[in-house]
Amino acid sequence: MPQLLDPRAQALRNMKRLATTLFAVMCLLFVISLLLMQSWPAFGYLKAAAEGGMVGAVADWFAVTAIFRHPLGLRIPHTNLIQRKKDELGESLGGFVQENFLSAPVVARKLRAAGLPERAGRYLSSPDGAGKASTQAAVTARGALDMLDDEQVLTVLQALAHDYMVAPEWSTTLGALGGKMLADGHHEQALTLLAERAGAWVRQHPEVFREVIASQSPGWVPRVVDELLAQKIHRELTALLKTVTRNAEHPLRRAVTRWLVDFTDAMQHDADTIAKVELFKHSLLTDQQLRELAIRGWGSLKAGLHQSLANPESALRVALLGAVTAFGHRLLDDQPLRQSLEDRLIAMVERLVRGHGSTLAGLVSDTVQAWDPAEASAKLELQVGRDLQFIRINGTVIGALAGLVIFSIGQLILALWG
């Protein structure tokens, strides 16, 4: 019953009804002409045409029916071809598909004719196409982020941090970088800032000097002496730091600079200093600390990416849209790029076809061979049966014309010999 709802099944049934009706008309004309030709000999021509039409209709009905089933249920040899030859048909169809559709030259020719890079360029350069493509890319990226195993990512990040942060030697690199900064004078601002901040702290905390002097002074020294000494030290240190802040050539700044120069040189050439720097590095970046760093970094990065990808107004989405649009315009304007992409696409598909064409074609063979014989016959009849009914109709018409011509030639020969 579900097949009755299929328009193809309805069309097939209508064509069968038409062909059968035409056969019935021929039978009716044969009976009429047979009854009337005794009185009117001219009806013999109609009888001959009807006979030829019936013969053609029956012959072609038999031929069409024999393709899909046994005519009238009679197991006549060489009938019910589809059900008997289903497996051979599936294998032949698979070979036909592979030879004519899945061969490398055919695929390459079709892909070049399609002009896919140019089409992609027109689509991606349009506002609608770029918007849809960038949105789909964002959705795909968010899905990929959700599918990632955080534990595996953290393991990879920790391994990368160890290989590229901890394993390499820091001392020589940092020493060379520090030496460059000192040679260019970039440390002067740092020294100025350090002296300025130290001076500000000293000015704001005179009580610290009083406490230190009082704690270190002998008990027999009068308190007023401690106070005067603390004030003296506070004033001198404040003045010293102010002078250091304002005078770039102050001896103390020059001494610090010389010490820094010596230290950066030792970081590059002194084995003991290099070892100490490396020891400090390993104490600073233990495995647990690296893992905590990876956890914080990955968590922040993943959350930020997810939020940015979900927001069409985010800087990331705007940049992605701009990149997609720019790529589309480049595809349209850059013919060598289009050619390169097309060549790579064709080469990739050709390798796929050469390596797996037989497997893909085998899907056709395996699918057909897996069908139930009756189901296979019904499927194929549903696809081509309507057109095959024209064979019955044509056979009826051509048979009628042939019968008429043969009868007419016969009458002509009798007339000539008579």
Side-chain angles (χ1 to χ4, degrees), residues 237-268:
L237 184 57
T238 301
L240 174 64
L241 292 174
K242 182 182 294 186
T243 303
V244 170
T245 301
R246 295 176 177 178
N247 183 9
E249 299 299 327
H250 192 280
L252 181 58
R253 291 180 65 133
R254 297 303 94 205
V256 172
T257 298
R258 287 193 298 274
W259 181 83
L260 290 174
V261 170
D262 292 340
F263 182 67
T264 55
D265 182 72
M267 288 176 68
Q268 300 176 68

PDB file of all heavy atoms in Angstrom, residues 237-268:
ATOM      1  N   LEU A 237      70.181  59.647  53.945  1.00  0.00           N
ATOM      2  CA  LEU A 237      69.724  58.636  52.974  1.00  0.00           C
ATOM      3  C   LEU A 237      68.700  59.231  52.009  1.00  0.00           C
ATOM      4  O   LEU A 237      68.722  58.955  50.801  1.00  0.00           O
ATOM      5  CB  LEU A 237      69.125  57.439  53.718  1.00  0.00           C
ATOM      6  CG  LEU A 237      68.685  56.258  52.836  1.00  0.00           C
ATOM      7  CD1 LEU A 237      69.849  55.741  51.995  1.00  0.00           C
ATOM      8  CD2 LEU A 237      68.118  55.123  53.700  1.00  0.00           C
ATOM      9  N   THR A 238      67.818  60.100  52.532  1.00  0.00           N
ATOM     10  CA  THR A 238      66.836  60.757  51.670  1.00  0.00           C
ATOM     11  C   THR A 238      67.533  61.628  50.632  1.00  0.00           C
ATOM     12  O   THR A 238      67.185  61.615  49.442  1.00  0.00           O
ATOM     13  CB  THR A 238      65.873  61.614  52.510  1.00  0.00           C
ATOM     14  OG1 THR A 238      65.192  60.794  53.464  1.00  0.00           O
ATOM     15  CG2 THR A 238      64.856  62.306  51.611  1.00  0.00           C
ATOM     16  N   ALA A 239      68.509  62.398  51.078  1.00  0.00           N
ATOM     17  CA  ALA A 239      69.255  63.256  50.152  1.00  0.00           C
ATOM     18  C   ALA A 239      70.019  62.427  49.131  1.00  0.00           C
ATOM     19  O   ALA A 239      70.096  62.774  47.947  1.00  0.00           O
ATOM     20  CB  ALA A 239      70.211  64.160  50.949  1.00  0.00           C
ATOM     21  N   LEU A 240      70.616  61.314  49.590  1.00  0.00           N
ATOM     22  CA  LEU A 240      71.379  60.457  48.686  1.00  0.00           C
ATOM     23  C   LEU A 240      70.478  59.894  47.583  1.00  0.00           C
ATOM     24  O   LEU A 240      70.824  59.933  46.392  1.00  0.00           O
ATOM     25  CB  LEU A 240      72.029  59.317  49.475  1.00  0.00           C
ATOM     26  CG  LEU A 240      72.743  58.247  48.626  1.00  0.00           C
ATOM     27  CD1 LEU A 240      73.919  58.853  47.871  1.00  0.00           C
ATOM     28  CD2 LEU A 240      73.199  57.086  49.514  1.00  0.00           C
ATOM     29  N   LEU A 241      69.318  59.400  47.983  1.00  0.00           N
ATOM     30  CA  LEU A 241      68.410  58.810  46.986  1.00  0.00           C
ATOM     31  C   LEU A 241      67.861  59.865  46.028  1.00  0.00           C
ATOM     32  O   LEU A 241      67.666  59.602  44.845  1.00  0.00           O
ATOM     33  CB  LEU A 241      67.258  58.085  47.705  1.00  0.00           C
ATOM     34  CG  LEU A 241      67.662  56.827  48.477  1.00  0.00           C
ATOM     35  CD1 LEU A 241      66.471  56.280  49.267  1.00  0.00           C
ATOM     36  CD2 LEU A 241      68.191  55.760  47.522  1.00  0.00           C
ATOM     37  N   LYS A 242      67.656  61.075  46.531  1.00  0.00           N
ATOM     38  CA  LYS A 242      67.192  62.158  45.645  1.00  0.00           C
ATOM     39  C   LYS A 242      68.277  62.492  44.625  1.00  0.00           C
ATOM     40  O   LYS A 242      68.005  62.708  43.439  1.00  0.00           O
ATOM     41  CB  LYS A 242      66.838  63.383  46.477  1.00  0.00           C
ATOM     42  CG  LYS A 242      66.297  64.536  45.639  1.00  0.00           C
ATOM     43  CD  LYS A 242      66.009  65.742  46.494  1.00  0.00           C
ATOM     44  CE  LYS A 242      64.864  65.459  47.458  1.00  0.00           C
ATOM     45  NZ  LYS A 242      64.476  66.705  48.224  1.00  0.00           N
ATOM     46  N   THR A 243      69.526  62.518  45.114  1.00  0.00           N
ATOM     47  CA  THR A 243      70.630  62.817  44.203  1.00  0.00           C
ATOM     48  C   THR A 243      70.800  61.711  43.163  1.00  0.00           C
ATOM     49  O   THR A 243      71.027  61.969  41.979  1.00  0.00           O
ATOM     50  CB  THR A 243      71.937  62.990  44.998  1.00  0.00           C
ATOM     51  OG1 THR A 243      71.771  64.024  45.969  1.00  0.00           O
ATOM     52  CG2 THR A 243      73.090  63.362  44.080  1.00  0.00           C
ATOM     53  N   VAL A 244      70.685  60.469  43.627  1.00  0.00           N
ATOM     54  CA  VAL A 244      70.802  59.330  42.700  1.00  0.00           C
ATOM     55  C   VAL A 244      69.694  59.383  41.646  1.00  0.00           C
ATOM     56  O   VAL A 244      69.904  59.086  40.475  1.00  0.00           O
ATOM     57  CB  VAL A 244      70.761  58.002  43.479  1.00  0.00           C
ATOM     58  CG1 VAL A 244      70.634  56.824  42.522  1.00  0.00           C
ATOM     59  CG2 VAL A 244      71.992  57.860  44.345  1.00  0.00           C
ATOM     60  N   THR A 245      68.491  59.802  42.090  1.00  0.00           N
ATOM     61  CA  THR A 245      67.365  59.877  41.155  1.00  0.00           C
ATOM     62  C   THR A 245      67.611  60.921  40.078  1.00  0.00           C
ATOM     63  O   THR A 245      67.323  60.689  38.896  1.00  0.00           O
ATOM     64  CB  THR A 245      66.067  60.213  41.917  1.00  0.00           C
ATOM     65  OG1 THR A 245      65.822  59.210  42.888  1.00  0.00           O
ATOM     66  CG2 THR A 245      64.891  60.309  40.958  1.00  0.00           C
ATOM     67  N   ARG A 246      68.191  62.075  40.460  1.00  0.00           N
ATOM     68  CA  ARG A 246      68.326  63.188  39.528  1.00  0.00           C
ATOM     69  C   ARG A 246      69.622  63.137  38.716  1.00  0.00           C
ATOM     70  O   ARG A 246      69.688  63.657  37.608  1.00  0.00           O
ATOM     71  CB  ARG A 246      68.277  64.512  40.301  1.00  0.00           C
ATOM     72  CG  ARG A 246      66.933  64.744  40.969  1.00  0.00           C
ATOM     73  CD  ARG A 246      66.963  66.010  41.790  1.00  0.00           C
ATOM     74  NE  ARG A 246      65.652  66.286  42.390  1.00  0.00           N
ATOM     75  CZ  ARG A 246      65.414  67.314  43.188  1.00  0.00           C
ATOM     76  NH1 ARG A 246      66.389  68.167  43.510  1.00  0.00           N
ATOM     77  NH2 ARG A 246      64.206  67.499  43.704  1.00  0.00           N
ATOM     78  N   ASN A 247      70.674  62.501  39.262  1.00  0.00           N
ATOM     79  CA  ASN A 247      71.988  62.517  38.609  1.00  0.00           C
ATOM     80  C   ASN A 247      72.278  61.157  37.977  1.00  0.00           C
ATOM     81  O   ASN A 247      72.560  60.181  38.666  1.00  0.00           O
ATOM     82  CB  ASN A 247      73.075  62.869  39.637  1.00  0.00           C
ATOM     83  CG  ASN A 247      74.456  62.970  38.987  1.00  0.00           C
ATOM     84  OD1 ASN A 247      74.589  62.943  37.761  1.00  0.00           O
ATOM     85  ND2 ASN A 247      75.478  63.084  39.829  1.00  0.00           N
ATOM     86  N   ALA A 248      72.203  61.122  36.655  1.00  0.00           N
ATOM     87  CA  ALA A 248      72.440  59.857  35.956  1.00  0.00           C
ATOM     88  C   ALA A 248      73.878  59.394  36.046  1.00  0.00           C
ATOM     89  O   ALA A 248      74.173  58.224  35.814  1.00  0.00           O
ATOM     90  CB  ALA A 248      72.030  60.008  34.479  1.00  0.00           C
ATOM     91  N   GLU A 249      74.807  60.323  36.404  1.00  0.00           N
ATOM     92  CA  GLU A 249      76.221  59.961  36.508  1.00  0.00           C
ATOM     93  C   GLU A 249      76.666  59.780  37.946  1.00  0.00           C
ATOM     94  O   GLU A 249      77.866  59.784  38.229  1.00  0.00           O
ATOM     95  CB  GLU A 249      77.069  61.052  35.837  1.00  0.00           C
ATOM     96  CG  GLU A 249      76.788  61.248  34.360  1.00  0.00           C
ATOM     97  CD  GLU A 249      77.069  59.981  33.558  1.00  0.00           C
ATOM     98  OE1 GLU A 249      78.002  59.243  33.940  1.00  0.00           O
ATOM     99  OE2 GLU A 249      76.348  59.724  32.564  1.00  0.00           O
ATOM    100  N   HIS A 250      75.733  59.616  38.849  1.00  0.00           N
ATOM    101  CA  HIS A 250      76.090  59.451  40.260  1.00  0.00           C
ATOM    102  C   HIS A 250      76.942  58.191  40.425  1.00  0.00           C
ATOM    103  O   HIS A 250      76.685  57.163  39.790  1.00  0.00           O
ATOM    104  CB  HIS A 250      74.824  59.354  41.107  1.00  0.00           C
ATOM    105  CG  HIS A 250      75.076  59.472  42.560  1.00  0.00           C
ATOM    106  ND1 HIS A 250      75.534  58.428  43.347  1.00  0.00           N
ATOM    107  CD2 HIS A 250      74.956  60.540  43.414  1.00  0.00           C
ATOM    108  CE1 HIS A 250      75.661  58.830  44.589  1.00  0.00           C
ATOM    109  NE2 HIS A 250      75.307  60.131  44.662  1.00  0.00           N
ATOM    110  N   PRO A 251      77.950  58.243  41.264  1.00  0.00           N
ATOM    111  CA  PRO A 251      78.835  57.077  41.458  1.00  0.00           C
ATOM    112  C   PRO A 251      78.081  55.807  41.854  1.00  0.00           C
ATOM    113  O   PRO A 251      78.464  54.703  41.458  1.00  0.00           O
ATOM    114  CB  PRO A 251      79.791  57.535  42.568  1.00  0.00           C
ATOM    115  CG  PRO A 251      79.812  59.019  42.432  1.00  0.00           C
ATOM    116  CD  PRO A 251      78.432  59.422  42.004  1.00  0.00           C
ATOM    117  N   LEU A 252      77.024  55.970  42.684  1.00  0.00           N
ATOM    118  CA  LEU A 252      76.277  54.790  43.093  1.00  0.00           C
ATOM    119  C   LEU A 252      75.584  54.135  41.893  1.00  0.00           C
ATOM    120  O   LEU A 252      75.576  52.907  41.750  1.00  0.00           O
ATOM    121  CB  LEU A 252      75.243  55.174  44.157  1.00  0.00           C
ATOM    122  CG  LEU A 252      74.391  54.028  44.705  1.00  0.00           C
ATOM    123  CD1 LEU A 252      75.274  52.938  45.311  1.00  0.00           C
ATOM    124  CD2 LEU A 252      73.387  54.533  45.752  1.00  0.00           C
ATOM    125  N   ARG A 253      75.018  54.965  41.013  1.00  0.00           N
ATOM    126  CA  ARG A 253      74.380  54.409  39.809  1.00  0.00           C
ATOM    127  C   ARG A 253      75.423  53.749  38.907  1.00  0.00           C
ATOM    128  O   ARG A 253      75.170  52.696  38.332  1.00  0.00           O
ATOM    129  CB  ARG A 253      73.652  55.525  39.049  1.00  0.00           C
ATOM    130  CG  ARG A 253      72.433  56.051  39.771  1.00  0.00           C
ATOM    131  CD  ARG A 253      71.759  57.142  38.980  1.00  0.00           C
ATOM    132  NE  ARG A 253      71.204  56.668  37.731  1.00  0.00           N
ATOM    133  CZ  ARG A 253      69.983  56.953  37.289  1.00  0.00           C
ATOM    134  NH1 ARG A 253      69.166  57.686  38.051  1.00  0.00           N
ATOM    135  NH2 ARG A 253      69.565  56.512  36.130  1.00  0.00           N
ATOM    136  N   ARG A 254      76.590  54.383  38.787  1.00  0.00           N
ATOM    137  CA  ARG A 254      77.643  53.796  37.959  1.00  0.00           C
ATOM    138  C   ARG A 254      78.112  52.479  38.563  1.00  0.00           C
ATOM    139  O   ARG A 254      78.420  51.529  37.824  1.00  0.00           O
ATOM    140  CB  ARG A 254      78.829  54.747  37.845  1.00  0.00           C
ATOM    141  CG  ARG A 254      78.553  56.089  37.155  1.00  0.00           C
ATOM    142  CD  ARG A 254      78.004  55.915  35.751  1.00  0.00           C
ATOM    143  NE  ARG A 254      76.547  55.940  35.750  1.00  0.00           N
ATOM    144  CZ  ARG A 254      75.803  55.366  34.835  1.00  0.00           C
ATOM    145  NH1 ARG A 254      76.371  54.672  33.863  1.00  0.00           N
ATOM    146  NH2 ARG A 254      74.497  55.429  34.886  1.00  0.00           N
ATOM    147  N   ALA A 255      78.170  52.414  39.902  1.00  0.00           N
ATOM    148  CA  ALA A 255      78.603  51.170  40.561  1.00  0.00           C
ATOM    149  C   ALA A 255      77.586  50.059  40.302  1.00  0.00           C
ATOM    150  O   ALA A 255      77.958  48.902  40.026  1.00  0.00           O
ATOM    151  CB  ALA A 255      78.781  51.410  42.063  1.00  0.00           C
ATOM    152  N   VAL A 256      76.280  50.406  40.389  1.00  0.00           N
ATOM    153  CA  VAL A 256      75.240  49.416  40.110  1.00  0.00           C
ATOM    154  C   VAL A 256      75.320  48.948  38.653  1.00  0.00           C
ATOM    155  O   VAL A 256      75.183  47.752  38.362  1.00  0.00           O
ATOM    156  CB  VAL A 256      73.846  49.995  40.430  1.00  0.00           C
ATOM    157  CG1 VAL A 256      72.756  49.043  39.960  1.00  0.00           C
ATOM    158  CG2 VAL A 256      73.719  50.270  41.919  1.00  0.00           C
ATOM    159  N   THR A 257      75.583  49.898  37.759  1.00  0.00           N
ATOM    160  CA  THR A 257      75.692  49.547  36.337  1.00  0.00           C
ATOM    161  C   THR A 257      76.861  48.600  36.109  1.00  0.00           C
ATOM    162  O   THR A 257      76.744  47.608  35.372  1.00  0.00           O
ATOM    163  CB  THR A 257      75.854  50.819  35.494  1.00  0.00           C
ATOM    164  OG1 THR A 257      74.705  51.655  35.650  1.00  0.00           O
ATOM    165  CG2 THR A 257      76.037  50.472  34.021  1.00  0.00           C
ATOM    166  N   ARG A 258      78.010  48.900  36.738  1.00  0.00           N
ATOM    167  CA  ARG A 258      79.170  48.010  36.578  1.00  0.00           C
ATOM    168  C   ARG A 258      78.865  46.620  37.114  1.00  0.00           C
ATOM    169  O   ARG A 258      79.254  45.605  36.531  1.00  0.00           O
ATOM    170  CB  ARG A 258      80.385  48.612  37.296  1.00  0.00           C
ATOM    171  CG  ARG A 258      80.984  49.815  36.579  1.00  0.00           C
ATOM    172  CD  ARG A 258      82.358  50.157  37.166  1.00  0.00           C
ATOM    173  NE  ARG A 258      82.276  50.531  38.576  1.00  0.00           N
ATOM    174  CZ  ARG A 258      82.028  51.754  39.005  1.00  0.00           C
ATOM    175  NH1 ARG A 258      81.863  52.741  38.146  1.00  0.00           N
ATOM    176  NH2 ARG A 258      81.987  52.004  40.305  1.00  0.00           N
ATOM    177  N   TRP A 259      78.154  46.593  38.273  1.00  0.00           N
ATOM    178  CA  TRP A 259      77.805  45.276  38.837  1.00  0.00           C
ATOM    179  C   TRP A 259      76.889  44.499  37.886  1.00  0.00           C
ATOM    180  O   TRP A 259      77.066  43.301  37.686  1.00  0.00           O
ATOM    181  CB  TRP A 259      77.114  45.474  40.168  1.00  0.00           C
ATOM    182  CG  TRP A 259      76.739  44.150  40.812  1.00  0.00           C
ATOM    183  CD1 TRP A 259      77.542  43.350  41.558  1.00  0.00           C
ATOM    184  CD2 TRP A 259      75.471  43.487  40.685  1.00  0.00           C
ATOM    185  NE1 TRP A 259      76.857  42.207  41.924  1.00  0.00           N
ATOM    186  CE2 TRP A 259      75.583  42.264  41.398  1.00  0.00           C
ATOM    187  CE3 TRP A 259      74.288  43.798  40.066  1.00  0.00           C
ATOM    188  CZ2 TRP A 259      74.530  41.368  41.491  1.00  0.00           C
ATOM    189  CZ3 TRP A 259      73.238  42.907  40.156  1.00  0.00           C
ATOM    190  CH2 TRP A 259      73.345  41.705  40.856  1.00  0.00           C
ATOM    191  N   LEU A 260      75.931  45.189  37.293  1.00  0.00           N
ATOM    192  CA  LEU A 260      75.022  44.539  36.345  1.00  0.00           C
ATOM    193  C   LEU A 260      75.768  44.037  35.116  1.00  0.00           C
ATOM    194  O   LEU A 260      75.493  42.936  34.617  1.00  0.00           O
ATOM    195  CB  LEU A 260      73.907  45.512  35.933  1.00  0.00           C
ATOM    196  CG  LEU A 260      72.877  45.861  37.014  1.00  0.00           C
ATOM    197  CD1 LEU A 260      71.928  46.943  36.510  1.00  0.00           C
ATOM    198  CD2 LEU A 260      72.085  44.613  37.425  1.00  0.00           C
ATOM    199  N   VAL A 261      76.704  44.846  34.624  1.00  0.00           N
ATOM    200  CA  VAL A 261      77.499  44.423  33.467  1.00  0.00           C
ATOM    201  C   VAL A 261      78.295  43.169  33.799  1.00  0.00           C
ATOM    202  O   VAL A 261      78.352  42.208  33.022  1.00  0.00           O
ATOM    203  CB  VAL A 261      78.420  45.563  33.002  1.00  0.00           C
ATOM    204  CG1 VAL A 261      79.416  45.059  31.957  1.00  0.00           C
ATOM    205  CG2 VAL A 261      77.602  46.711  32.430  1.00  0.00           C
ATOM    206  N   ASP A 262      78.922  43.175  34.974  1.00  0.00           N
ATOM    207  CA  ASP A 262      79.720  42.001  35.381  1.00  0.00           C
ATOM    208  C   ASP A 262      78.822  40.772  35.542  1.00  0.00           C
ATOM    209  O   ASP A 262      79.200  39.650  35.164  1.00  0.00           O
ATOM    210  CB  ASP A 262      80.460  42.294  36.697  1.00  0.00           C
ATOM    211  CG  ASP A 262      81.546  43.351  36.529  1.00  0.00           C
ATOM    212  OD1 ASP A 262      81.969  43.564  35.367  1.00  0.00           O
ATOM    213  OD2 ASP A 262      81.937  43.964  37.543  1.00  0.00           O
ATOM    214  N   PHE A 263      77.631  41.000  36.102  1.00  0.00           N
ATOM    215  CA  PHE A 263      76.739  39.863  36.343  1.00  0.00           C
ATOM    216  C   PHE A 263      76.207  39.275  35.029  1.00  0.00           C
ATOM    217  O   PHE A 263      76.173  38.052  34.864  1.00  0.00           O
ATOM    218  CB  PHE A 263      75.578  40.296  37.235  1.00  0.00           C
ATOM    219  CG  PHE A 263      74.639  39.177  37.583  1.00  0.00           C
ATOM    220  CD1 PHE A 263      75.043  38.123  38.387  1.00  0.00           C
ATOM    221  CD2 PHE A 263      73.346  39.158  37.066  1.00  0.00           C
ATOM    222  CE1 PHE A 263      74.184  37.083  38.690  1.00  0.00           C
ATOM    223  CE2 PHE A 263      72.474  38.119  37.365  1.00  0.00           C
ATOM    224  CZ  PHE A 263      72.883  37.078  38.177  1.00  0.00           C
ATOM    225  N   THR A 264      75.816  40.135  34.094  1.00  0.00           N
ATOM    226  CA  THR A 264      75.323  39.610  32.802  1.00  0.00           C
ATOM    227  C   THR A 264      76.436  38.899  32.041  1.00  0.00           C
ATOM    228  O   THR A 264      76.183  37.913  31.343  1.00  0.00           O
ATOM    229  CB  THR A 264      74.744  40.743  31.943  1.00  0.00           C
ATOM    230  OG1 THR A 264      75.722  41.778  31.774  1.00  0.00           O
ATOM    231  CG2 THR A 264      73.498  41.331  32.581  1.00  0.00           C
ATOM    232  N   ASP A 265      77.658  39.387  32.189  1.00  0.00           N
ATOM    233  CA  ASP A 265      78.778  38.696  31.543  1.00  0.00           C
ATOM    234  C   ASP A 265      79.017  37.336  32.185  1.00  0.00           C
ATOM    235  O   ASP A 265      79.273  36.339  31.496  1.00  0.00           O
ATOM    236  CB  ASP A 265      80.040  39.573  31.644  1.00  0.00           C
ATOM    237  CG  ASP A 265      81.222  38.930  30.943  1.00  0.00           C
ATOM    238  OD1 ASP A 265      81.226  38.903  29.685  1.00  0.00           O
ATOM    239  OD2 ASP A 265      82.126  38.425  31.641  1.00  0.00           O
ATOM    240  N   ALA A 266      78.916  37.293  33.529  1.00  0.00           N
ATOM    241  CA  ALA A 266      79.093  36.016  34.235  1.00  0.00           C
ATOM    242  C   ALA A 266      77.989  35.027  33.869  1.00  0.00           C
ATOM    243  O   ALA A 266      78.233  33.822  33.774  1.00  0.00           O
ATOM    244  CB  ALA A 266      79.120  36.261  35.740  1.00  0.00           C
ATOM    245  N   MET A 267      76.789  35.545  33.653  1.00  0.00           N
ATOM    246  CA  MET A 267      75.672  34.664  33.254  1.00  0.00           C
ATOM    247  C   MET A 267      75.949  33.979  31.918  1.00  0.00           C
ATOM    248  O   MET A 267      75.431  32.890  31.651  1.00  0.00           O
ATOM    249  CB  MET A 267      74.372  35.470  33.148  1.00  0.00           C
ATOM    250  CG  MET A 267      73.799  35.910  34.488  1.00  0.00           C
ATOM    251  SD  MET A 267      72.331  36.941  34.292  1.00  0.00           S
ATOM    252  CE  MET A 267      71.165  35.742  33.621  1.00  0.00           C
ATOM    253  N   GLN A 268      76.786  34.581  31.106  1.00  0.00           N
ATOM    254  CA  GLN A 268      77.089  34.010  29.799  1.00  0.00           C
ATOM    255  C   GLN A 268      78.345  33.154  29.787  1.00  0.00           C
ATOM    256  O   GLN A 268      78.451  32.233  28.969  1.00  0.00           O
ATOM    257  CB  GLN A 268      77.251  35.127  28.764  1.00  0.00           C
ATOM    258  CG  GLN A 268      76.020  35.995  28.594  1.00  0.00           C
ATOM    259  CD  GLN A 268      76.257  37.137  27.633  1.00  0.00           C
ATOM    260  OE1 GLN A 268      76.430  36.936  26.431  1.00  0.00           O
ATOM    261  NE2 GLN A 268      76.283  38.358  28.167  1.00  0.00           N
TER     262      GLN A 268
END
